[in-house]
Amino acid sequence: MASKPGILTDWPWKPLGDFKFVILTPWIAHSTYSFIWTQPDPVYHLVFPYIFIRMLHNQIWISISRYQTSKGKCKIIDKGIEFEQVDRETNWDDQILLTALMIYIGYMIFPMAAGLPWWRTDGVILTAILHAGPVEFLYYWLHRALHHHYLYSRYHSHHHSSIVTEPITSVTHPFAEMFAYFTLFAIPMLTPLFFYKSSVAAIYGYIFYIDFMNNMGHCNFEFFPKKLLSFFPLFKYLSYTPSFHSLHHTKFRANYSLFMPIYDYIYGTVDKTTDATYESCLKRPKDSPDVVHLTHLTSFDSVYQLRLGFSSFASNPHKSKWYLHLMWPFTMLSMIMTWIFGRAIVLESNTFNDLKLQCWLIPRFRTQYFSQKHNKTLNKLIENSIMEAELNGAKVVSLGLFNQKQFNTHCGLYIRRFPELKIKVVDGSSLVAAIVLNNIPKGTHQVVLRGKFDKVAITIANALCTKNIQVGVLYKDELEELQQTVTMSKGNLALSPINTSKIWLVGDEWDENEQMEAPEGSLFIPFSHFPLNNMRESCFYHYTPSMITPNTFTNSHSCENWLPRRVMSAWRIAGIIHALEGWNVDECGDIILDTNKVWEATIRHGFQPLKIYAQIPCVTN
C-alpha cells in the first residue's frame, strides 16, 4: 500500500477476492457460444485462453528468477524478501484481468476490431514505432512525475516498497497508476486499428512483449552477455537490463525509462554506476553455503507449495486446494520431471548471523520413498547431494522428512565408506526430542507414548523416566519392547488405561482413532514429521516439532510445509545449530546428542519455542 493512498488506489473488483475473474463471465460465455455456432474471430476468441498463457508466462519467469537468485550466480541485490512483500504482490493478476476486460470492451466498441488478419507486416512495424516513440517518451515523463512527492506518496511508493524485485513486482501498482500505463500501451494497439493496419499478431504480440520485458527487468539476476553489448553497442540504448532497472529501485532518482534507456541518456538521468553494476553482477559466482538442508516433495500438489511454485501458496501453510485437481496436466508433468532429474536442485537461500543457508530439493515424492524399487536410486541421490554440498563448501547437511529415514538405515556404512568427508550429517533427532520434552507442561506426572518406538521416542522415554515421570503404553507387547530399549526406566514404564492420561506424545504409525478415547482437554504433542489428519474439538494439539526463527533470519517468505510463517522444523534448525556451535560429530543412524545441550544452544541463538496450547488447523496429507 502507498504511504498516503490516493483516490482509485484499490482495484474495483477487490471485494470479489479470489472470484474476481467472474466479471468476465458474460464475454467468456458469449465467445464460447459464438465460437461453436458462428465463424470464429481470433481477436475475440483468443482473449480467454490468452489469460492462461500470460499467467503461465509470468509463472515461468517467477520460478526461474527465484531459482537463479537462490543459487546466487549473477544476483543483483542480496537483501532478502519478506512475507509483507509477497502479500503486497499477490494481486499481480489484476493487470491481466484489466487487459482482458479492456480488449473485450474495445472489441464491442470498435467495429474495425472484428475480422482482423493474423499478420500484417506494416501493422507490426507501426506498432513497434509507436512503442519506441510515443509510449517510451510519454512513459519516461509520466514515471518522473510519479516520483514527485505528491504522486509518489499516493501511488508509486506502493511499487517501490519492493526494493528487491521479482518478476511480478513489475505489475504491482495501484489501480489508477496501472490504468494510466494501460492507456499508454493502448496507443500502439488502437492506432493501427483505426488505420485498418492491425492484426492478431500485432495486438497479442505487443502484450507478450510488454509482459516479457516487465518480467525480465525485475528478475533480480543479470543474464545479458557482455559480448552482446560488444557486438551491438546500441543495444544499451534500446533495451534495459535487470541491473539497469534494479538501480532504479535502490537509487529511486535515476533510470526512469520503461524498456528503452535512450531517454535516460538523452535527459541525463542514467545512474553513474549502471555499467559497473552490470559488470559486477555478471562476474558474481554462485553462493557457497555453510549449511544445506535436504528436503523433498510430499503429496503431488506440494510442487505448487514450493518457493519456486506459486508465491501465494508458498507464503502460507500447505493445505490441499480443490482447484489444484484441475491442474492435473502440470501435476503429471512434474511427476515425469522427477524421473528425469538426477540431482538435487537449490530451492531457497537464507542468511542467519554469519551463516549462508540453502535448502535443496530431492526431486522425489513421498510415494517414491515408500517404493522399495526406488531405494537404491534415493540413497545415491542423497549421498551425491551430501558430497556436492561439501564441494560447495558446506560444513553441515541436515536431513528433512523421509531423507533422514532413507539415509539413517545405512548411515554407519556411509561414514565408513567416506571417512575423508569433513561435512557433518545431522538428522535433528536430539532437537526434536528436546522440543517435545520442553512442550510437556510443568507438573506432569504421567504421559502416554504412542507410535513407532524410534530413537526419538526412546530418547524421550529415557529423559522422562530420569525425571520420574511415568511413561505409559496401551498394550503389553509395547511395554515389553519399551522395557528392553529404555535404559533409564527406574520402574516408570507402565501399562496405562486409554482414558487416564491427558498428555499424549504421538509419533508415526499410531492409530489416530485412539484419541477419541482420551479424556477431554487432553494435549497431544507430536514427535513425528507429519501433523494429524483428524482432531477432536475438545482437545488441544501442538504443531510438529518446530520453533520460531529469530528476526535476523533473512529472506523468509515461504512456509515450511504446514507450519506457520517464520516457523521452522526442528530437523532444519538442528543443522543450523550444529554449524553455529561447530560440533565436529555426525548425528545420524543411532547417534543422538545431549538433548539439554542442544536445547540450550538453540535458545541461546535466538530460536523461540512455540507456545500453542490450542487447536490448530488440520492438514490432510
Side-chain angles (χ1 to χ4, degrees):
M1 186 65 69
S3 54
K4 297 179 181 178
I7 60 172
L8 296 179
T9 289
D10 290 332
W11 291 73
W13 43 77
K14 183 178 179 180
L16 296 177
D18 293 336
F19 296 96
K20 57 191 173 186
F21 278 88
V22 298
I23 65 175
L24 298 178
T25 302
W27 284 285
I28 294 171
H30 179 262
S31 65
T32 303
Y33 172 83
S34 60
F35 180 81
I36 297 173
W37 298 105
T38 64
Q39 184 176 356
D41 189 337
V43 173
Y44 186 52
H45 296 107
L46 281 177
V47 177
F48 183 58
Y50 200 62
I51 289 175
F52 295 100
I53 293 174
R54 293 185 69 191
M55 287 183 171
L56 178 61
H57 179 208
N58 287 337
Q59 183 58 50
I60 290 172
W61 272 106
I62 294 167
S63 298
I64 291 175
S65 176
R66 289 191 160 196
Y67 172 66
Q68 188 66 29
T69 53
S70 293
K71 293 197 301 181
K73 185 175 176 59
C74 300
K75 191 175 180 180
I76 301 171
I77 299 178
D78 280 319
K79 185 178 179 182
I81 295 171
E82 303 299 327
F83 285 107
E84 186 273 334
Q85 177 173 340
V86 176
D87 290 341
R88 187 174 61 252
E89 296 177 346
T90 52
N91 69 332
W92 61 270
D93 54 351
D94 277 334
Q95 51 89 25
I96 295 179
L97 176 55
L98 174 65
T99 304
L101 190 63
M102 291 297 100
I103 293 178
Y104 275 132
I105 294 174
Y107 183 86
M108 299 297 179
I109 294 176
F110 305 117
M112 68 284 291
L116 292 181
W118 284 97
W119 177 270
R120 276 196 61 151
T121 303
D122 55 354
V124 172
I125 293 174
L126 180 58
T127 299
I129 293 173
L130 288 169
H131 174 82
V135 172
E136 288 282 349
F137 176 78
L138 292 173
Y139 178 92
Y140 173 84
W141 288 107
L142 172 62
H143 196 177
R144 289 191 65 170
L146 286 168
H147 276 262
H148 183 275
H149 63 86
Y150 182 86
L151 292 177
Y152 184 83
S153 61
R154 285 161 177 79
Y155 299 102
H156 202 51
S157 58
H158 178 80
H159 177 69
H160 272 278
S161 297
S162 302
I163 296 175
V164 182
T165 60
E166 291 199 295
I168 52 177
T169 305
S170 62
V171 289
T172 304
H173 301 284
F175 171 70
E177 184 177 344
M178 197 69 207
F179 191 81
Y181 295 150
F182 182 85
T183 303
L184 284 180
F185 298 147
I187 295 174
M189 290 190 285
L190 293 180
T191 305
L193 187 67
F194 294 152
F195 284 94
Y196 297 92
K197 295 182 181 295
S198 188
S199 64
V200 176
I203 294 175
Y204 288 105
Y206 183 59
I207 295 172
F208 179 85
Y209 166 77
I210 293 170
D211 285 345
F212 180 89
M213 296 298 289
N214 262 331
N215 287 321
M216 181 269 291
H218 291 79
C219 62
N220 197 34
F221 71 94
E222 188 57 80
F223 60 90
F224 276 93
K226 196 173 180 180
K227 287 184 178 180
L228 179 63
L229 295 179
S230 300
F231 290 136
F232 188 34
L234 292 178
F235 184 80
K236 67 184 293 184
Y237 303 108
L238 300 180
S239 175
Y240 70 172
T241 66
S243 59
F244 179 94
H245 189 70
S246 180
L247 283 170
H248 175 70
H249 278 260
T250 54
K251 301 294 184 68
F252 297 102
R253 298 292 184 180
N255 298 9
Y256 292 102
S257 293
L258 178 55
F259 307 140
M260 301 173 64
I262 186 171
Y263 293 102
D264 277 303
Y265 283 99
I266 290 174
Y267 295 107
T269 52
V270 176
D271 189 87
K272 295 179 181 179
T273 64
T274 295
D275 293 337
T277 301
Y278 166 75
E279 293 186 8
S280 64
C281 291
L282 283 179
K283 294 177 182 177
R284 178 168 178 171
K286 66 178 182 180
D287 290 336
S288 297
D290 298 301
V291 180
V292 169
H293 178 69
L294 282 183
T295 186
H296 65 79
L297 297 160
T298 52
S299 59
F300 290 126
D301 60 0
S302 65
V303 68
Y304 305 113
Q305 173 72 19
L306 300 177
R307 180 183 177 273
L308 306 182
F310 295 163
S311 303
S312 57
F313 287 175
S315 63
N316 290 287
H318 178 42
K319 293 182 181 179
S320 296
K321 305 286 187 180
W322 65 268
Y323 48 81
L324 290 180
H325 297 298
L326 303 177
M327 300 184 65
W328 64 266
F330 299 103
T331 308
M332 292 296 294
L333 179 62
S334 69
M335 289 178 59
I336 295 172
M337 290 179 68
T338 60
W339 292 87
I340 299 173
F341 278 100
R343 57 185 296 178
I345 61 174
V346 181
L347 188 62
E348 65 176 290
S349 60
N350 309 91
T351 58
F352 177 53
N353 295 340
D354 294 327
L355 287 183
K356 290 184 178 180
L357 317 171
Q358 284 186 350
C359 182
W360 292 7
L361 175 75
I362 299 289
R364 295 295 185 270
F365 287 95
R366 180 181 180 182
T367 54
Q368 291 166 301
Y369 281 84
F370 280 92
S371 175
Q372 197 71 25
K373 65 179 181 180
H374 290 287
N375 274 345
K376 188 175 181 180
T377 302
L378 284 167
N379 290 338
K380 192 68 176 177
L381 267 173
I382 295 171
E383 284 187 5
N384 288 344
S385 298
I386 294 171
M387 288 185 282
E388 184 180 353
E390 172 154 294
L391 289 175
N392 283 322
K395 303 178 184 67
V396 175
V397 59
S398 57
L399 304 174
L401 299 175
F402 290 106
N403 286 328
Q404 63 172 263
K405 296 186 177 182
Q406 183 72 31
F407 182 78
N408 277 346
T409 57
H410 70 289
C411 172
L413 177 62
Y414 162 81
I415 294 173
R416 289 192 297 271
R417 282 173 56 203
F418 304 104
E420 72 281 359
L421 291 182
K422 297 180 180 179
I423 192 169
K424 299 305 173 186
V425 182
V426 177
D427 66 12
S429 298
S430 54
L431 182 56
V432 172
I435 290 175
V436 173
L437 291 169
N438 282 276
N439 281 338
I440 298 174
K442 292 182 179 180
T444 298
H445 300 291
Q446 182 190 50
V447 301
V448 171
L449 184 66
R450 303 298 304 126
K452 183 180 179 181
F453 295 156
D454 54 17
K455 71 172 181 176
V456 173
I458 301 304
T459 301
I460 293 171
N462 271 314
L464 291 175
C465 289
T466 302
K467 297 177 181 180
N468 289 322
I469 297 176
Q470 187 182 74
V471 179
V473 292
L474 302 182
Y475 307 103
K476 185 176 181 180
D477 58 334
E478 291 182 342
L479 177 62
E480 293 173 353
E481 179 184 352
L482 210 57
Q483 286 173 335
Q484 293 175 3
T485 53
V486 175
T487 59
M488 311 288 288
S489 62
K490 295 183 179 181
N492 285 310
L493 300 178
L495 282 173
S496 175
I498 196 169
N499 59 354
T500 300
S501 179
K502 299 189 72 171
I503 306 296
W504 287 55
L505 310 182
V506 295
D508 295 328
E509 301 179 14
W510 78 292
D511 185 357
E512 292 188 16
N513 293 323
E514 293 173 351
Q515 65 180 306
M516 301 304 170
E517 302 296 325
E520 286 193 8
S522 292
L523 172 64
F524 291 84
I525 306 174
F527 55 89
S528 64
H529 293 93
F530 293 96
L532 307 182
N533 291 317
N534 302 298
M535 298 182 183
R536 282 177 59 185
E537 292 183 0
S538 58
C539 293
F540 302 89
Y541 300 84
H542 259 290
Y543 285 100
T544 54
S546 52
M547 300 182 77
I548 303 170
T549 59
N551 292 330
T552 51
F553 187 88
T554 65
N555 203 35
S556 176
H557 59 277
S558 59
C559 288
E560 188 175 343
N561 298 314
W562 40 82
L563 295 176
R565 292 180 170 184
R566 296 199 67 86
V567 172
M568 184 179 291
S569 69
W571 296 272
R572 189 173 176 184
I573 295 172
I576 299 173
I577 301 302
H578 215 84
L580 288 170
E581 292 294 308
W583 291 330
N584 191 30
V585 60
D586 292 292
E587 184 195 24
C588 59
D590 296 327
I591 304 171
I592 196 159
L593 307 181
D594 185 326
T595 56
N596 291 326
K597 179 181 177 181
V598 172
W599 177 257
E600 186 275 331
T602 305
I603 295 297
R604 177 162 34 85
H605 286 293
F607 289 90
Q608 295 297 316
L610 275 170
K611 295 296 184 182
I612 300 178
Y613 293 99
Q615 283 197 332
I616 58 176
C618 174
V619 180
T620 303
N621 297 304

